[in-house]
Amino acid sequence: MAETVESKAVVLDIGGKKRAFDIDDPKLPGWIDDNAFSSGGYPYQDKLDKDIFAKTLEDLQAELVKVQFWLQKTGGRVMALFEGRDAAGKGGAIHDILAYMNPRTARVVALTKPTETEQGQWYYQRYVTKFPTAGEFVLFDRSWYNRAGVEPVMGFCTPEQHAHFLKQTPRFEKLIVEDGIHFFKFWLDIGREMQLKRFHDRAHDRLKVWKLSPMDIAALNKWDDYSEKRDLMLKETDSDHAPWTVVRANDKRRARIEVIRTMLSALDYEGKDKSVVGDVDGKIICSGRKFLD
């Protein structure tokens, strides 16, 4: 495990039961392994077949290439932000979306914590500077919604700042949409046991251990706090002009396919093959409002 990750065992409250979890133990506890895939009420029993996933993904990625040509021809702009709990699969989804797009006009934005100068600016300012120009396709790996989740849970903002953010954000996003940007907001949702499994996998994979941060460990006992802030975020910022798309993401394969389908379905690009795009899976994708219901 990376030296930057603090090692400690914790006792977690899982469905009213006390469960011990030591992320340093190379053996994954059976109660996690047995329940990870079905956790959070996941609607499928097995992963999407690997070959079906590969073929479907390749076909959808070819459609994304068409989108990029269309944007370059028309000067259109696409922007999507990806939010979700740690280990929800945001980075992997972004990787598969951008895999075959020209990096000159398709890019990812993943900002670090704000500098002292940025802390003194309008909260949204450092994000606005990363918005797409004509012909660009931009994906945010986390976004201004840090202030709706991690900041209030971990005490990085005041309750007043949090409340102000929830009030101001729908207005801010209306400006984005009114300026003609094709705007998407994805919340990748995973079950608790699945998150623990992915944390454990990272801790014992020398190529992925860098993804596990001290913040992840500190948040292990804050699942309910994050859930409460997520629900409030969806309630206050799911608007008609900038709705949330919730993606059930215990199966990374299905999640990535449905994220791309959602974007392609909403874009009226040249050469669109509707038979390839297909229909969005309603078991995996739902609106923020429906998720709360």
Side-chain angles (χ1 to χ4, degrees):
M1 181 181 294
E3 294 181 0
T4 56
V5 177
E6 182 182 353
S7 170
K8 64 177 183 178
V10 294
V11 176
L12 305 173
D13 187 341
I14 308 291
K17 295 182 179 180
K18 300 297 182 181
R19 298 285 196 177
F21 177 58
D22 184 354
I23 200 167
D24 285 335
D25 187 340
K27 181 177 175 57
L28 182 68
W31 62 269
I32 295 179
D33 198 29
D34 293 342
N35 297 298
F37 196 79
S38 62
S39 62
Y42 194 71
Y44 288 98
Q45 294 183 343
D46 300 295
K47 291 182 179 179
L48 180 65
D49 178 81
K50 184 177 181 180
D51 292 336
I52 293 175
F53 167 68
K55 178 62 168 62
T56 304
L57 178 63
E58 181 178 328
D59 289 343
L60 294 176
Q61 287 170 330
E63 292 296 301
L64 286 169
V65 172
K66 294 179 185 179
V67 168
Q68 192 167 30
F69 280 125
W70 170 67
L71 293 176
Q72 293 167 355
K73 180 178 179 180
T74 63
R77 294 165 292 168
V78 170
M79 184 167 71
L81 56 85
F82 290 77
E83 294 289 344
R85 299 181 192 271
D86 294 316
K90 299 177 292 295
I94 289 170
H95 174 272
D96 279 356
I97 292 169
L98 298 180
Y100 295 101
M101 300 181 78
N102 186 339
R104 292 180 179 177
T105 55
R107 55 187 170 88
V108 58
V109 177
L111 300 183
T112 57
K113 65 180 183 179
T115 64
E116 183 177 350
T117 297
E118 290 170 337
Q119 289 176 13
Q121 296 173 343
W122 180 46
Y123 179 74
Y124 306 96
Q125 188 166 336
R126 71 189 192 120
Y127 298 101
V128 172
T129 63
K130 305 298 183 182
F131 279 17
T133 189
E136 277 197 319
F137 188 102
V138 175
L139 306 181
F140 279 81
D141 187 348
R142 293 198 181 276
S143 67
W144 46 94
Y145 279 99
N146 282 330
R147 182 142 291 182
V150 63
E151 289 189 21
V153 169
M154 302 305 293
F156 297 153
C157 72
T158 66
E160 292 75 19
Q161 288 173 323
H162 177 224
H164 184 71
F165 171 85
L166 294 175
K167 180 179 179 181
Q168 291 294 314
T169 295
R171 303 175 188 175
F172 169 63
E173 292 174 349
K174 190 171 185 179
L175 295 175
I176 295 173
V177 176
E178 288 180 343
D179 202 54
I181 295 176
H182 299 281
F183 183 45
F184 300 90
K185 300 190 303 188
F186 293 104
W187 173 269
L188 273 60
D189 195 72
I190 55 174
R192 192 170 192 185
E193 287 88 347
M194 179 55 76
Q195 185 190 51
L196 293 172
K197 181 181 186 303
R198 290 181 183 176
F199 279 172
H200 187 270
D201 290 346
R202 290 177 177 183
H204 298 279
D205 185 333
R206 62 179 184 171
L207 299 180
K208 296 181 179 180
V209 66
W210 63 271
K211 292 185 175 183
L212 188 67
S213 71
M215 189 71 68
D216 297 332
I217 303 302
L220 284 176
N221 273 310
K222 297 182 180 295
W223 178 271
D224 291 340
D225 291 339
Y226 272 105
S227 296
E228 178 185 342
K229 295 302 187 295
R230 174 204 61 200
D231 291 352
L232 182 59
M233 176 196 75
L234 293 175
K235 178 177 180 292
E236 298 296 331
T237 65
D238 186 286
S239 61
D240 291 337
H241 55 270
W244 277 100
T245 298
V246 177
V247 186
R248 297 191 183 278
N250 280 4
D251 181 1
K252 294 179 180 180
R253 296 170 185 171
R254 285 191 174 89
R256 295 174 189 182
I257 291 298
E258 298 307 324
V259 163
I260 298 174
R261 274 189 175 142
T262 298
M263 299 179 74
L264 293 174
S265 297
L267 298 172
D268 188 20
Y269 56 94
E270 186 176 341
K272 182 175 183 176
D273 188 335
K274 294 183 179 180
S275 67
V276 169
V277 175
D279 297 322
V280 171
D281 185 346
K283 293 182 179 180
I284 301 298
I285 296 290
C286 71
S287 68
R289 295 172 188 176
K290 183 176 180 180
F291 180 81
L292 290 177
D293 292 340

